[in-house]
């Protein structure tokens, strides 16, 4: 494992932990898109079904279990424990517009037409757009807490580091996965405006909606 993949994994884990701690400490899921978190739970579930069929390393298995457990814990906090604080009126992105096309694409473009491979491909495609409900929610509410912007930053950093990881692996290992790379590029592009604002505006959440409304959704 190279340093870019390891750092990417840690950034991904940091994003998940930041979100969980934010919800637990504030006893509120205000500003958090439950739909995005449901999509991420679906991503991890369909991607890591190989937990039952193969073992790569203790690190690999541990990270998979942590991602799955944390994603469902987040969904539980949003839709069960702190349901009263969930802003469903603004979390209105039509996720079927993501899941249905992604599902169709995973059947058409994959490495091998087998159930596990199709589900893995589905998870890769879905992850690239799973953050859209969260960004859409921010554009509707007109605000984003600083802790939420930190979560988004680490999510975007994770994907950007994975792109560097794939470049590293191509040059030093001869490995190249077109599906993962293309999906990763799409996901990183969705974060580009956010990265620029996060860095140039001193991580101020109040300016985020203006950027999203102007560049991403309209």
């Amino acid at each position: 494992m190279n340093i870019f993949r390891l750092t990417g994994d840690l950034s991904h884990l940091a994003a998940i932990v930041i979100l969980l701690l934010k919800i637990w400490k504030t006893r509120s899921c205000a500003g958090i898109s439950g739909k995005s978190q449901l999509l991420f739970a679906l991503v991890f579930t369909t991607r890591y079904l190989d937990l039952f069929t193969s073992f790569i390393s203790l690190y690999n298995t541990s990270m998979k279990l942590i991602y799955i457990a944390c994603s469902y814990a987040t969904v539980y906090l949003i839709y069960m424990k702190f349901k009263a604080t969930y802003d469903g009126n603004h979390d209105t992105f039509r996720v079927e517009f993501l899941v249905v096309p992604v599902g169709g694409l995973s059947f058409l473009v994959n490495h091998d037409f087998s159930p596990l491979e199709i589900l893995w491909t589905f998870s890769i495609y879905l992850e690239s757009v799973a953050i859209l409900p969260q960004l859409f929610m921010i554009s509707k509410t007109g605000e984003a807490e600083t802790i939420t912007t930190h979560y988004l930053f680490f999510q975007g950093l994770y994907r950007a580091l994975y792109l560097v990881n794939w470049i590293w692996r191509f040059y030093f290992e001869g490995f190249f996965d077109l599906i993962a790379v293309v999906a990763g590029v799409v996901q990183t592009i969705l974060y580009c405006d956010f990265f620029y604002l996060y860095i140039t505006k001193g991580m101020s959440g109040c300016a985020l909606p203006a950027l999203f409304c102007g560049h991403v959704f309209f």
Side-chain angles (χ1 to χ4, degrees):
M1 178 186 299
N2 62 66
I3 187 63
F4 301 110
R5 179 175 178 179
L6 177 60
T7 310
D9 286 345
L10 293 178
S11 296
H12 196 185
L13 184 59
I16 295 172
V17 171
I18 285 172
L19 189 64
L20 272 173
L21 288 178
K22 182 268 182 192
I23 296 174
W24 187 258
K25 286 188 174 182
T26 63
R27 318 295 286 182
S28 170
C29 55
I32 303 300
S33 169
K35 291 186 176 182
S36 268
Q37 297 310 310
L38 281 172
L39 291 179
F40 282 122
L42 182 58
V43 165
F44 296 136
T45 301
T46 54
R47 180 174 303 171
Y48 298 142
L49 290 174
D50 62 351
L51 278 168
F52 302 102
T53 61
S54 63
F55 177 81
I56 298 175
S57 67
L58 180 60
Y59 170 83
N60 182 272
T61 298
S62 298
M63 292 300 282
K64 289 177 179 179
L65 291 173
I66 290 171
Y67 289 151
I68 292 173
C70 288
S71 66
Y72 279 98
T74 304
V75 170
Y76 168 76
L77 293 179
I78 294 174
Y79 286 102
M80 299 293 290
K81 190 170 184 63
F82 302 123
K83 182 179 179 180
T85 66
Y86 170 56
D87 188 5
N89 292 327
H90 288 112
D91 193 15
T92 57
F93 192 95
R94 301 285 296 276
V95 294
E96 60 269 28
F97 291 158
L98 301 178
V99 175
V100 174
V102 162
L105 185 61
S106 64
F107 272 93
L108 296 174
V109 183
N110 52 65
H111 295 308
D112 179 49
F113 198 76
S114 64
L116 281 180
E117 187 64 30
I118 290 172
L119 288 171
W120 178 86
T121 306
F122 171 82
S123 76
I124 295 296
Y125 293 150
L126 184 60
E127 186 184 19
S128 69
V129 294
I131 200 63
L132 281 176
Q134 179 66 66
L135 301 182
F136 183 73
M137 186 177 184
I138 292 175
S139 75
K140 290 193 68 177
T141 60
E143 60 184 12
E145 295 180 15
T146 299
I147 195 69
T148 306
T149 67
H150 293 338
Y151 161 73
L152 290 171
F153 173 79
F154 280 104
Q155 279 279 25
L157 181 62
Y158 139 69
R159 182 47 62 187
L161 286 168
Y162 254 64
L163 286 180
V164 180
N165 160 63
W166 288 322
I167 294 173
W168 175 279
R169 295 190 66 185
F170 175 74
Y171 279 104
F172 293 97
E173 301 176 16
F175 174 84
F176 182 75
D177 187 327
L178 183 60
I179 289 176
V181 170
V182 171
V185 169
V186 170
Q187 188 175 359
T188 304
I189 289 173
L190 292 178
Y191 285 96
C192 282
D193 277 352
F194 172 79
F195 272 136
Y196 174 78
L197 192 68
Y198 185 93
I199 294 171
T200 60
K201 300 298 182 180
M203 301 174 287
S204 173
C206 62
L208 284 169
L211 185 74
F212 289 145
C213 289
H215 290 208
V216 176
F217 299 112
F218 300 96

